[in-house]
């Protein structure tokens, strides 16, 4: 690869996607393996961080767009280039942080090369990269867990589905922001399918003042990398429907002017479920039938 010259990557980035694939197919197995994980070569432009001087990057796009891959690759880049990075990984629940953001098909472990993969310690909720960068897992359902820890960066996934009961989603976001005080340029990337919940609407409003860089997109933008049958089925079942506009076209469905109940109002009215009673409490338990030996 070194014999190709210092400017070979720049030359490749100028090629059309089809030409890049043809070039890739001509490589030896070793060279192909080495270049396969160079994300800027394969990513679509909208999956790359904005070139502006941003603090918050919001990817608000339809399902299958490649949001998780973009977030995971951004984290991988941070860990490679900043050994002091302390990255908060925040999801709707700790289970989703683990199953989607870390262990998922497009998660951090999947995109990491073997020679620079992080050590994943589930019991400590921690990722540790060879160079020194670290990632820490948090649930947005527990806003107080983000009160106190300091970070230099954060990746927040599916913020539109964070728990809005008692304004938990907003509280988690605000506590995270107050802890982003390490390093010279703290940043947060948020990836989500749009819903008109208070946090998403707030970030989109902040984008109008330049505080948030927004990337919009649809499922169809990533059509070449999705199963053809899936794409065809989504078009047949959901094209031109309200659900399709939100989940596939990535459109934020705002409320009808003059409506008595808005989506934001409904979200604010959500309450957490009651705690489960212990088995010995007798609350909510059905009486156990008496079974005679003859009936067994």
């Amino acid at each position: 690869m070194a014999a190709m010259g210092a400017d070979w990557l720049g030359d490749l980035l100028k090629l059309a996607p089809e030409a890049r694939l043809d070039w890739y197919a001509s490589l030896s197995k070793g060279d192909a393996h080495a270049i396969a994980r160079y994300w800027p070569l394969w990513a679509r432009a909208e999956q790359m961080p904005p070139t502006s001087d941003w603090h918050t990057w919001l990817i608000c796009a339809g399902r299958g767009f490649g949001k998780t891959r973009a977030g995971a690759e951004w984290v991988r880049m941070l860990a490679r280039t900043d050994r002091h990075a302390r990255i908060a990984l925040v999801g709707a629940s700790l289970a989703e942080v683990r199953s989607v953001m870390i262990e998922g098909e497009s998660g951090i472990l999947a995109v990491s090369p073997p020679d620079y993969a992080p050590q994943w310690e589930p019991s400590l909720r921690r990722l540790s990269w060879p160079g020194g960068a670290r990632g820490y897992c948090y649930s947005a359902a527990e806003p107080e867990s983000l009160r106190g820890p300091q970070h230099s960066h954060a990746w927040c996934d599916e913020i539109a589905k964070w728990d809005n009961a008692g304004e938990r989603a907003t509280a988690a976001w605000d506590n995270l922001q107050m802890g982003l005080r390490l390093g010279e340029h703290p940043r947060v990337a948020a990836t989500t399918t749009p819903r008109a919940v208070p946090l998403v609407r707030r970030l989109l409003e902040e984008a109008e003042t330049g505080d948030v860089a927004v990337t919009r997109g649809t499922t169809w933008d990533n059509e070449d990398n999705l199963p053809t049958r899936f794409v065809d089925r989504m078009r047949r079942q959901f094209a031109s429907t309200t659900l399709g506009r939100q989940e596939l076209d990535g459109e934020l469905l705002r409320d009808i002017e003059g409506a008595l109940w808005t989506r934001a109002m409904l979200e604010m009215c959500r309450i957490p479920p009651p705690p489960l009673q212990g088995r010995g409490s007798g609350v909510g338990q059905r009486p156990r039938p008496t079974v005679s030996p003859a009936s067994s």
Side-chain angles (χ1 to χ4, degrees):
M1 301 292 287
M4 298 180 68
D7 297 329
W8 65 277
L9 281 175
D11 293 338
L12 284 174
L13 289 172
K14 296 176 183 177
L15 294 177
E18 296 80 6
R20 291 184 203 173
L21 290 174
D22 290 341
W23 167 84
Y24 184 74
S26 70
L27 296 176
S28 66
K29 184 176 181 180
D31 286 346
H33 181 75
I35 200 64
R37 294 185 183 274
Y38 186 71
W39 177 238
L41 190 60
W42 309 111
R44 304 191 312 279
E46 58 270 20
Q47 289 178 297
M48 296 295 294
T51 56
S52 59
D53 185 21
W54 55 276
H55 171 271
T56 302
W57 175 28
L58 173 64
I59 304 180
C60 198
R63 297 193 190 187
F65 169 86
K67 301 183 294 294
T68 302
R69 180 68 184 273
E73 291 284 1
W74 181 67
V75 168
R76 178 167 77 98
M77 180 273 295
L78 292 174
R80 172 75 78 170
T81 58
D82 183 358
R83 64 189 181 91
H84 299 294
R86 296 295 180 265
I87 309 164
L89 305 170
V90 191
S93 66
L94 287 172
E96 291 198 14
V97 174
R98 177 172 181 170
S99 64
V100 177
M101 301 172 71
I102 295 175
E103 298 179 355
E105 291 82 356
S106 300
I108 294 170
L109 296 181
V111 305
S112 297
D115 64 339
Y116 210 80
Q119 179 185 3
W120 168 221
E121 301 170 276
S123 61
L124 299 178
R125 305 174 184 176
R126 183 175 69 191
L127 289 169
S128 300
W129 280 268
R134 288 189 174 183
Y136 302 94
C137 305
Y138 300 94
S139 168
E142 302 172 4
E144 292 301 303
S145 67
L146 285 159
R147 182 188 294 275
Q150 300 181 77
H151 306 95
S152 60
H153 302 84
W155 172 26
C156 302
D157 190 45
E158 289 297 347
I159 61 172
K161 64 181 292 188
W162 287 9
D163 187 2
N164 282 286
E167 300 184 358
R168 284 186 183 179
T170 302
W173 181 265
D174 289 342
N175 282 340
L176 173 66
Q177 296 296 315
M178 293 180 184
L180 282 173
R181 52 181 183 262
L182 295 181
E184 294 297 323
H185 199 163
R187 283 177 161 173
V188 54
T191 51
T192 191
T193 302
R195 285 176 56 202
V197 296
L199 179 55
V200 173
R201 298 184 69 155
R202 169 180 155 184
L203 292 181
L204 291 175
E205 289 172 0
E206 292 176 1
E208 297 177 0
T209 64
D211 292 335
V212 178
V214 180
T215 296
R216 306 299 292 265
T218 72
T219 301
W220 325 119
D221 294 335
N222 197 33
E223 186 172 343
D224 292 341
N225 296 311
L226 297 173
T228 301
R229 289 187 177 182
F230 167 80
V231 173
D232 291 344
R233 187 170 67 253
M234 292 300 100
R235 281 203 168 99
R236 287 196 306 270
Q237 294 182 2
F238 301 111
S240 302
T241 66
T242 300
L243 182 62
R245 288 168 56 197
Q246 174 177 279
E247 301 294 320
L248 303 176
D249 296 336
E251 181 180 343
L252 185 71
L253 300 181
R254 300 186 180 274
D255 303 297
I256 300 174
E257 185 175 354
L260 294 177
W261 298 95
T262 66
R263 289 183 175 85
M265 292 169 63
L266 293 174
E267 291 291 344
M268 294 291 288
C269 291
R270 292 185 185 275
I271 59 174
L276 296 177
Q277 301 292 332
R279 293 191 62 176
S281 67
V283 178
Q285 297 183 12
R286 296 181 179 179
R288 300 179 64 181
T290 302
V291 181
S292 64
S295 65
S296 60

